[in-house]
Amino acid sequence: MLKNLYIKNFTLIDQLNIDFREGFSVISGETGAGKSIILGAIALLLGSRADSKQIKTGEKKCVIEAHFDLSRYDFEAFFTDNAIDFEPADTILRRELSDNGKSRAFINDSPVSLQAMRTLGEQLVDIHSQHQNLLLQQENFQLNVLDIIADNSPQLKEYTQAFELYKQTEKELEALKSQLVREREDEEYTRFRFEEISRAQLKKGMQDELEQEEQALSHSEEIKTALFDAEGRLNNDDNGIVSQMKVAVNSLRSIEKVYPKVSDVAERLESANIELKDIAAELSAFMEEIDFDPARLEDINRQLDTIYSLEQKFHVASVDELLDVQEQLRQKLNNIESGDDTLNELQTKLDQQLVQTKELAARLTEQRTKAARFVENEMKQRLAPLGIPNVRFAVTLAPKNMSADGSDSVQFMFSANKNAPMQPVGQVASGGEIARVMLSLKAMISGKTKLPTIIFDEIDTGVSGKIAQKMALIMQEMGNNERQVISITHLPQIAALGTSHYKVEKEDTPDGTRSRMRELSDNERIAEIAQMLSGADITEAALQNARDLLAANNSL
């Protein structure tokens, strides 16, 4: 339940800090006093869109904060999932709005996204404003009422998951059909392109090897001359470097005994000589390999021309990429050949999913049908005492194409008169009748939904007298059933039934117009109800009527 509301610098409110009570409370005040401002502030806490124009003129920031007691409700999972400290006895929601348009949201002093704030807010407070009566014209609202009464969340979730899988498979099947049509139309061209690459007998790294061999064959005489010259300089019998180094080694070895310091140099020189001999041998082997072969060069150039042509044709830069294209074409051909089998498998899967989804939809229909009969009986019992004695209320379920919420089309049918045919409630009910229907629906489903706080914004529109009192009794009953119910009202019959009474006032000051809210004492409450009864001039008779009304209601 909402324990405390703090508002600072929000539109006409300088600062407001007020506590709220359990059970059924009422808020009164003249039109334009600022009741809608307070509702707007609460809506911001619940995640509605912010506007920097909502900041009080001349201020840079507004703050709205609320304290909730959630100790009687199961909210721990939300806080665990969002890594927020859970303080059930004092859960704090805060929203800050700056004049630069930036908005920040906090839950228990932890910064959170607006979506997280909205998710929690929807589970904490339901603000029923007059425009919500339009929901009666929406089929999804009526279906949601049935689902709440049926308490079928697990079954609805199971159905929705099955339906989503079915639609996903259906989409895959249609995509595969379209793909196969395109691929079969292009099959001859695809096969031609595949065989064109296949004839080249490509292998990874082939292009680099051919290009290197082509370079060697094209420059064979130049290469052989350079190798011969280098090998000759190393291995010439008389003046070659290898022979000369051998002589140098022998010279050093001859003085090792008398000059030991040269031993290390001699060993190094001897090692270098061995390395040079190996190099000379390797150069000689290279010369044996180099042999100009015009036929081989022609064959290499033919293969390279084929590779270059294929690369240009397929817009790639290497043999490896050509091999990737070849594999893609092979896969397309395989898909064409096995396409019918794949289609049949996917169609079988889709048929099985359709059967399962229909079974789950039928189970939902059965549960909703039972809930519909309950709603019909409950609504008749609730609406008759509210001044509609001849009410007829029916819930019709008709089949529809399966969608994410099932295969049921729902319509609430209504008639306030014996001889008038029933029609959709949103089309035939008057404003006062719609208010009573919505209150009855909210009262009926409030026990099913674990919503801590419900705020009714002038739910009493279009009613008065005893009917208003009976509506107040319904709200009082809801407030006594572990719900905090707050009603914004202009009717004394409703105001008198609240366990707590708050008043919203507007005052003009030298600094501008200000709106404030306060809880009324017993005497102030009598005066407020007297004013609601008689208008601006409060007479003694009006005061006595207010006392009598409060006393009578307290005895109920």
Side-chain angles (χ1 to χ4, degrees), residues 147 150 152 154-156 158-159 356-370 407-408:
D147 286 335
N152 61 2
Q155 293 80 11
L156 182 58
E158 184 181 6
Y159 164 81
Q356 181 187 12
T357 307
K358 283 184 174 180
E359 289 176 353
L360 294 172
R363 190 187 308 172
L364 282 178
T365 300
E366 182 180 355
Q367 293 172 319
R368 288 166 174 170
T369 301
K370 292 179 181 178
S407 59
D408 302 307

Side-chain angles (χ1 to χ4, degrees), residues 155-197:
Q155 293 80 11
L156 182 58
K157 182 178 180 181
E158 184 181 6
Y159 164 81
T160 302
Q161 291 173 343
F163 178 76
E164 289 175 353
L165 287 175
Y166 167 75
K167 296 302 289 186
Q168 181 180 340
T169 303
E170 185 180 53
K171 186 176 180 180
E172 291 174 5
L173 182 62
E174 292 304 315
L176 180 59
K177 287 179 179 178
S178 299
Q179 178 185 334
L180 285 175
V181 168
R182 292 193 304 270
E183 289 180 349
R184 282 170 176 164
E185 289 175 351
D186 298 335
E187 180 179 4
E188 185 176 344
Y189 181 55
T190 300
R191 194 172 299 281
F192 168 77
R193 284 158 61 89
F194 173 75
E195 292 174 352
E196 188 177 20
I197 297 177

Side-chain angles (χ1 to χ4, degrees), residues 290-418:
I290 298 299
D291 187 18
F292 180 65
D293 185 349
R296 175 58 182 162
L297 180 59
E298 183 179 354
D299 182 55
I300 290 172
N301 283 328
R302 179 185 57 77
Q303 291 185 66
L304 286 173
D305 286 343
T306 299
I307 290 172
Y308 296 150
S309 176
L310 289 171
E311 288 175 348
Q312 184 176 14
K313 185 172 185 178
F314 288 94
H315 306 290
V316 297
S318 69
V319 168
D320 288 355
E321 292 181 28
L322 277 173
L323 290 172
D324 290 339
V325 173
Q326 183 185 25
E327 183 57 33
Q328 292 169 10
L329 293 171
R330 179 186 286 110
Q331 189 61 50
K332 278 188 176 182
L333 292 172
N334 290 340
N335 289 343
I336 293 171
E337 292 173 1
S338 63
D340 289 336
D341 291 338
T342 306
L343 277 178
N344 290 334
E345 291 175 4
L346 207 54
Q347 183 66 57
T348 299
K349 179 181 177 181
L350 183 68
D351 292 342
Q352 292 172 346
Q353 289 177 338
L354 178 60
V355 170
Q356 181 187 12
T357 307
K358 283 184 174 180
E359 289 176 353
L360 294 172
R363 190 187 308 172
L364 282 178
T365 300
E366 182 180 355
Q367 293 172 319
R368 288 166 174 170
T369 301
K370 292 179 181 178
R373 304 292 81 81
F374 175 84
V375 170
E376 289 174 345
N377 294 329
E378 187 74 9
M379 289 299 289
K380 291 172 186 176
Q381 293 178 21
R382 289 182 176 274
L383 288 172
L386 292 178
I388 316 178
N390 298 316
V391 63
R392 285 181 292 155
F393 191 95
V395 181
T396 64
L397 272 77
K400 69 173 184 180
N401 293 332
M402 282 195 304
S403 63
D405 57 14
S407 59
D408 302 307
S409 176
V410 178
Q411 186 67 258
F412 286 177
M413 307 296 288
F414 174 84
S415 173
N417 304 304
K418 285 183 178 181

Side-chain angles (χ1 to χ4, degrees), residues 89-350:
D90 189 26
T91 296
I92 305 172
L93 273 65
R94 186 170 77 254
R95 189 90 180 268
E96 298 178 358
L97 177 61
S98 301
D99 59 357
N100 59 8
K102 292 184 178 180
S103 169
R104 298 195 301 166
F106 301 86
I107 299 176
N108 287 343
D109 291 327
S110 295
V112 296
S113 67
L114 190 58
Q115 181 57 46
M117 177 77 85
R118 187 178 296 117
T119 300
L120 180 59
E122 289 173 351
Q123 301 175 62
L124 292 179
V125 181
D126 174 25
I127 300 179
H128 182 91
S129 56
Q130 292 184 50
H131 76 270
Q132 272 199 321
N133 290 336
L134 298 175
L135 291 174
L136 274 178
Q137 302 176 18
Q138 299 178 13
E139 182 179 337
N140 60 346
F141 170 77
Q142 299 176 10
L143 183 61
N144 187 46
V145 170
L146 282 191
D147 286 335
I148 291 173
I149 296 301
D151 196 17
N152 61 2
S153 294
Q155 293 80 11
L156 182 58
K157 182 178 180 181
E158 184 181 6
Y159 164 81
T160 302
Q161 291 173 343
F163 178 76
E164 289 175 353
L165 287 175
Y166 167 75
K167 296 302 289 186
Q168 181 180 340
T169 303
E170 185 180 53
K171 186 176 180 180
E172 291 174 5
L173 182 62
E174 292 304 315
L176 180 59
K177 287 179 179 178
S178 299
Q179 178 185 334
L180 285 175
V181 168
R182 292 193 304 270
E183 289 180 349
R184 282 170 176 164
E185 289 175 351
D186 298 335
E187 180 179 4
E188 185 176 344
Y189 181 55
T190 300
R191 194 172 299 281
F192 168 77
R193 284 158 61 89
F194 173 75
E195 292 174 352
E196 188 177 20
I197 297 177
S198 298
R199 283 194 297 269
Q201 297 181 332
L202 302 176
K203 298 178 182 177
K204 286 185 177 293
M206 178 180 181
Q207 183 174 345
D208 290 340
E209 293 175 3
L210 288 173
E211 287 175 342
Q212 290 175 11
E213 189 176 356
E214 187 272 338
Q215 286 292 314
L217 287 173
S218 297
H219 299 82
S220 59
E221 290 300 323
E222 178 184 347
I223 294 170
K224 201 161 189 175
T225 299
L227 290 173
F228 181 80
D229 178 68
E231 194 271 342
R233 292 180 185 278
L234 290 173
N235 238 359
N236 187 285
D237 291 341
D238 297 325
N239 298 318
I241 294 174
V242 173
S243 298
Q244 293 297 318
M245 287 186 70
K246 181 64 176 174
V247 172
V249 170
N250 291 337
S251 296
L252 293 176
R253 294 294 186 191
S254 68
I255 62 173
E256 273 185 312
K257 291 182 179 181
V258 296
Y259 194 65
K261 287 184 177 181
V262 300
S263 295
D264 181 59
V265 175
E267 289 179 5
R268 289 164 58 193
L269 192 58
E270 191 168 15
S271 297
N273 189 37
I274 294 171
E275 178 68 16
L276 287 174
K277 286 174 68 177
D278 289 342
I279 292 173
E282 195 167 344
L283 292 175
S284 180
F286 286 166
M287 284 190 292
E288 293 295 328
E289 293 176 0
I290 298 299
D291 187 18
F292 180 65
D293 185 349
R296 175 58 182 162
L297 180 59
E298 183 179 354
D299 182 55
I300 290 172
N301 283 328
R302 179 185 57 77
Q303 291 185 66
L304 286 173
D305 286 343
T306 299
I307 290 172
Y308 296 150
S309 176
L310 289 171
E311 288 175 348
Q312 184 176 14
K313 185 172 185 178
F314 288 94
H315 306 290
V316 297
S318 69
V319 168
D320 288 355
E321 292 181 28
L322 277 173
L323 290 172
D324 290 339
V325 173
Q326 183 185 25
E327 183 57 33
Q328 292 169 10
L329 293 171
R330 179 186 286 110
Q331 189 61 50
K332 278 188 176 182
L333 292 172
N334 290 340
N335 289 343
I336 293 171
E337 292 173 1
S338 63
D340 289 336
D341 291 338
T342 306
L343 277 178
N344 290 334
E345 291 175 4
L346 207 54
Q347 183 66 57
T348 299
K349 179 181 177 181
L350 183 68

